[in-house]
Amino acid sequence: MKKKSRKFLTWCLVVCMLFTQLLFTNVAFAATNRYSGADRYATALDIVKNGWTQSDAAIIARGDDEGLADALAAAPLAYAKGKAPIFLTETNRLHDGIMDELNTLGVKTVYIVGGPGAVSTSVEKALKAQFGNDNVKRIYGADRVATSVAVAKELPAYKEAALVNGYAYADALSISSIAAASGTPILLTSDKDTLSADVSALISDK
């Protein structure tokens, strides 16, 4: 697949993922409405603005092509935290409008999904300055696979897990809605033939 086609598919998956999250709110979308923005971050923000009027919690995840795995793995966490919205941001700065919307929604707790390489410490500091150190929690691991395990550990008790390729977003997207609704963690793999030690240990514990 050509590079341009891969980027287009990735962008489509981002939008679909966000709409999947919105299906679990009480908002009914008219088929003729369009939700959009100047870029993927603004589009994500527009979806949140039209899908939520209040939320105690919110998820922040990296929105570029490399960071989408964290956002997808966070879907069950968002549902578990009161059907919280997922905001996409750039690595080194909180994208325009996100802080204002967090305040408008009355958010009390912010979950950053991804390590400092995905969502920088400067973004974390800005959120802590606004919401307090104890109300901003970073959930992450050494890589996207370990981050998916860290997210799973934040979920209530569960008996099943969805195992998907961490570098093929279509699979994670396909399972995200049912995984979120059933409280099933989405665990990522980096190799189709093997499980990471973290994933293996988590499965063994269950």
Side-chain angles (χ1 to χ4, degrees), residues 62-145:
R62 178 181 174 185
D64 64 16
D65 293 353
E66 289 298 316
L68 295 180
D70 294 341
L72 284 167
L77 177 68
Y79 193 84
K81 299 301 180 181
K83 303 177 184 177
I86 296 177
F87 291 86
L88 300 181
T89 189
E90 296 164 90
T91 294
N92 293 316
R93 75 180 188 96
L94 198 62
H95 199 72
D96 297 340
I98 290 180
M99 189 70 81
D100 287 343
E101 187 61 18
L102 290 171
N103 288 321
T104 296
L105 294 176
V107 169
K108 298 179 177 63
T109 306
V110 177
Y111 297 89
I112 300 172
V113 177
V119 179
S120 69
T121 54
S122 62
V123 171
E124 182 178 4
K125 288 178 181 178
L127 290 167
K128 286 183 174 180
Q130 180 66 35
F131 298 101
N133 290 347
D134 295 337
N135 298 320
V136 177
K137 182 170 184 179
R138 185 186 289 273
I139 303 170
Y140 73 106
D143 54 25
R144 65 182 63 186
V145 174

Side-chain angles (χ1 to χ4, degrees), residues 48 57 105 147 197:
V48 172
L105 294 176
T147 293

